[in-house]
Amino acid sequence: MVLHGLLALLHFPWFYLVTLLLAGIQHLRQRHLERATLGIKVTRDVLHAFRSIGIGLLAGIAISAAFDYAHVPFSWQDGVSVWVLGTLFSLIDMRLACVSYSGSLVALAGLVSAWWVPGNAPQVAVWLRALHPFSLLVLIAAANAVEGVATFLQMGIASPFLMKSRRGQIVGAFLLQGFWPLPIFALGSVPFSVLPNRTGIALGSPPQRVFFLGGVSISLYTILLAIALFFLRHSTPGLTIVALLALLSHAWLERFQVMREEAQSPLYVRPKSGVRILATLSGTPAKRIGLTPGETIARVGGMPVNSPYDLHFAIDQNPAYVKLEVIDSRGEMRWIGTPIFERDPHHLGCVFVPDERGVTETNVLSVGKQGRFFKLWRSVDAGERTVETPA
């Protein structure tokens, strides 16, 4: 049956291709986000895109095989409804593309049809009664399991950008996102696809910690959802409650993570002395020697540095080899030596938290607006200006 499903997907790939296109557009938007606020592309978005597609494809095959083995029924109305609703939601806000929202609403519509359907709309009644609410909720649990594992393993993108804190201070932050397109080719349904995703910010914590906590929280949520489905699978009122919780809990988990980060003191702010790292560029000395976001470079070759210009000057004094005095986020000091050559266009390869005096409002984006498709594109197209060149 799995081979039959794969052949059906190859014969009718359009739903899956559109989902891939939406995920690809989001990766391009993150590249524009970095260029618009920092003036340089930091993350390797193409590598992340292919990795996300690979994870989603393998997970989709496994989920479809499990549904086939467990005889979880689907109809073509299930697939079309979830895909259409999820695609429409993605045009409003990419965070809403997650199957937790579209799948829950379609499941609720199927559950409501068990006791009420419009009498003057027979076609609507036929459509709603062909839905399988329990199967859709199982699909949500499976997709969230993929989301939880992928988030826990940090299979997402952490894009550095600039934002304004609650106190009006311009600080560095990371926009965390992961998209894993799942092709579903269950028996009885057209080959469709869903897009589990995870979004959040890292403001007062390193991105790795936020990914870890997010993966733990969504995994616990998935386990509770699976337990509820097991005990309430034959109860229409019970499944209705589960669908409502699945709809609201996912949004609450994302909002709680953002509120937790906003309540902490920002980590990526300009220090009193030294220069604080916001991001490191791939293939540079900074990446090779293990410099990480949130660390502060206090001295270079024994010379104190308080701006990227100081750091450039200190490196130029000895372009072949420099010794760095680095303070980590816990306040501990360490010394690192690395060869740097004059032909290296980025010298060290760091992007630092900028001085507010060198930042204009057009370089600062609001976290609450990152998912809005058209507004973000307008802000990006307005101009890409460099805040501070990488050192």
Side-chain angles (χ1 to χ4, degrees), residues 65-385:
F67 285 169
D68 178 63
Y69 178 79
H71 302 289
V72 178
F74 280 92
S75 65
W76 67 269
Q77 289 91 340
D78 291 319
V80 171
S81 299
V82 170
W83 181 86
V84 169
L85 197 58
T87 302
L88 291 175
F89 282 167
S90 69
L91 299 178
I92 301 171
D93 192 319
M94 276 301 295
R95 288 170 294 188
L96 299 179
C98 184
V99 67
S100 294
Y101 303 113
S102 58
S104 297
L105 289 175
V106 175
L108 283 172
L111 291 165
V112 169
S113 68
W115 56 272
W116 179 85
V117 291
N120 57 350
Q123 296 299 324
V124 174
V126 172
W127 185 285
L128 293 177
R129 285 172 177 165
L131 299 175
H132 296 83
F134 175 75
S135 300
L136 292 170
L137 292 174
V138 172
L139 175 61
I140 292 173
N144 279 314
V146 174
E147 177 186 334
V149 172
T151 303
F152 181 81
L153 297 178
Q154 302 179 25
M155 297 295 184
I157 295 180
S159 291
F161 71 107
L162 302 181
M163 64 170 287
K164 184 173 287 188
S165 67
R166 289 185 174 182
R167 297 180 179 179
Q169 181 184 16
I170 296 176
V171 300
F174 284 85
L175 178 63
L176 310 179
Q177 297 199 80
F179 296 86
W180 304 280
L182 302 180
I184 304 297
F185 34 85
L187 187 64
S189 174
V190 296
F192 65 103
S193 56
V194 295
L195 189 63
N197 63 74
R198 188 67 177 167
T199 60
I201 63 168
L203 179 61
S205 307
Q208 296 82 357
R209 175 174 172 78
V210 179
F211 272 128
F212 173 80
L213 294 177
V216 171
S217 62
I218 199 68
S219 297
L220 291 175
Y221 157 75
T222 302
I223 293 172
L224 293 176
L225 180 61
I227 293 174
L229 286 174
F230 178 79
F231 286 104
L232 301 175
R233 61 187 182 277
H234 300 303
S235 171
T236 299
L239 289 178
T240 302
I241 295 174
V242 172
L244 288 171
L245 290 177
L247 177 65
L248 300 176
S249 298
H250 195 277
W252 180 83
L253 286 174
E254 289 189 346
R255 182 56 189 160
F256 175 77
Q257 186 274 317
V258 173
M259 291 174 60
R260 183 184 62 215
E261 286 298 303
E262 290 180 338
Q264 300 182 56
S265 299
L267 176 60
Y268 308 99
V269 295
R270 187 83 175 203
K272 293 182 179 179
S273 61
V275 287
R276 182 156 295 163
I277 300 171
L278 177 59
T280 55
L281 306 179
S282 299
T284 61
K287 200 74 172 181
R288 290 195 298 269
I289 62 179
L291 292 177
T292 59
E295 292 186 322
T296 300
I297 300 177
R299 292 175 179 270
V300 176
M303 300 176 59
V305 294
N306 294 304
S307 71
Y309 307 103
D310 293 342
L311 187 138
H312 275 294
F313 179 79
I315 290 177
D316 287 339
Q317 304 308 301
N318 189 358
Y321 186 88
V322 295
K323 189 174 183 180
L324 307 175
E325 188 176 311
V326 181
I327 304 173
D328 63 20
S329 57
R330 296 170 296 181
E332 298 180 357
M333 186 84 67
R334 63 190 178 110
W335 288 265
I336 305 174
T338 179
I340 299 179
F341 302 98
E342 291 180 342
R343 65 176 180 270
D344 189 341
H346 297 303
H347 290 295
L348 187 59
C350 291
V351 178
F352 298 106
V353 177
D355 191 335
E356 291 191 34
R357 294 170 296 180
V359 181
T360 62
E361 289 295 326
T362 56
N363 296 115
V364 182
L365 298 181
S366 171
V367 172
K369 299 175 182 177
Q370 295 311 308
R372 293 183 174 85
F373 185 87
F374 298 107
K375 191 157 191 175
L376 179 57
W377 273 112
R378 286 203 301 268
S379 66
V380 167
D381 292 337
E384 298 180 357
R385 294 190 289 173

